[in-house]
Amino acid sequence: MGRMGLDWVTPYDTAALLWFLVLWVGYTLYTDHTPARHRTISSAISRRRTLWLREAGHRDLRMIDTAILGNLITGVGFFASTTILVIGGLMAMMGVTAQVRTALSSLPLAGAASEAALEAKIAFLLAIFIYAFFKFAWAFRLANYCSITVGCLPASAHADSERSRAISQAAAVLSIRSGHHFNRGLRAYFFALGALGWLVHPWLFALVSTGVVIVLYRREFNSQAVIELRRLEETESRSD
């Protein structure tokens, strides 16, 4: 086989990779495509986005809203530009796999790996970050589209008009979709931390990936932040 053939793949590598994919795909399906999605912090924030942009229609001075939009765009842009740097670093690593292999071999848990194996693992990391970049780039564009749509809101005197409500709803959808893709990009970053373990040992790859899902689940469903948001929604529903 050629240098990038599959002769380097061990049963441990295969098992760890399959476990990683099951975790990522399974967690994404559970969090984004089952009834459990309504209990996530992302869902709670999406409802906040809708309420925020509905309230924006009742304000004549929208400096608060433009400041929020600017902060959101800056955050997404930061991750998009950072991801480009990470991709460049990984591409540079592909050209010095011999040195990287030597450096990794000094780690306590590092197993023996050929240069072909190391190149394939770096390429796998590269694919994850390319995916993350596309998510961040699309989130950035949607955040800009949301800003433009908010700029179309009429004066507060017409806030209850059908046109104003339609613009607020469209802006909310754009903001929610931007947040959705941004969250997918961040999730890729978390799982990339698990994939880093593959450079050392397949079992570390599987272990860290499992830990990533535990951390993500706790923060998405049981963190103090989501508890406070649920409490806020309950208070608002009682006041209505």
Side-chain angles (χ1 to χ4, degrees), residues 8 11-22 124 198 202 205-206:
W8 60 267
Y12 296 141
D13 286 307
T14 303
L17 179 59
L18 289 175
W19 179 240
F20 174 86
L21 295 175
V22 166
F124 181 67
W198 201 14
F205 177 28

Side-chain angles (χ1 to χ4, degrees), residues 34-132:
T34 69
R37 69 184 185 276
H38 300 299
R39 297 187 290 108
T40 64
I41 192 169
S42 298
S43 179
I45 290 299
S46 293
R47 293 189 288 271
R48 293 288 104 188
R49 290 175 190 262
T50 301
L51 180 60
W52 156 44
L53 289 162
R54 190 183 303 151
E55 292 294 326
H58 291 82
R59 285 191 281 267
D60 279 324
L61 297 177
R62 299 193 174 111
M63 290 183 292
I64 295 174
D65 308 303
T66 55
I68 295 171
L69 290 166
N71 287 336
L72 292 175
I73 292 173
T74 299
V76 177
F78 169 79
F79 274 96
S81 58
T82 300
T83 305
I84 285 292
L85 297 177
V86 174
I87 290 171
L90 289 172
M91 293 182 69
M93 285 179 64
M94 295 283 285
V96 291
T97 49
Q99 293 91 320
V100 174
R101 183 188 179 199
T102 301
L104 289 174
S105 64
S106 63
L107 297 176
L109 298 176
S114 64
E115 287 188 35
L118 189 56
E119 286 180 0
K121 293 171 184 179
I122 294 173
F124 181 67
L125 271 171
L126 188 60
I128 294 175
F129 282 105
I130 290 174
Y131 166 83

Side-chain angles (χ1 to χ4, degrees), residues 16-29 191 213:
L17 179 59
L18 289 175
W19 179 240
F20 174 86
L21 295 175
V22 166
L23 287 175
W24 192 348
V25 174
Y27 182 80
T28 298
L29 291 175
F191 277 98
V213 170

Side-chain angles (χ1 to χ4, degrees), residues 221-235:
F221 291 91
N222 295 314
S223 64
Q224 187 62 38
V226 72
I227 291 171
E228 289 300 322
L229 287 170
R230 289 171 186 163
R231 185 177 296 132
L232 174 60
E233 290 183 340
E234 291 172 0
T235 301

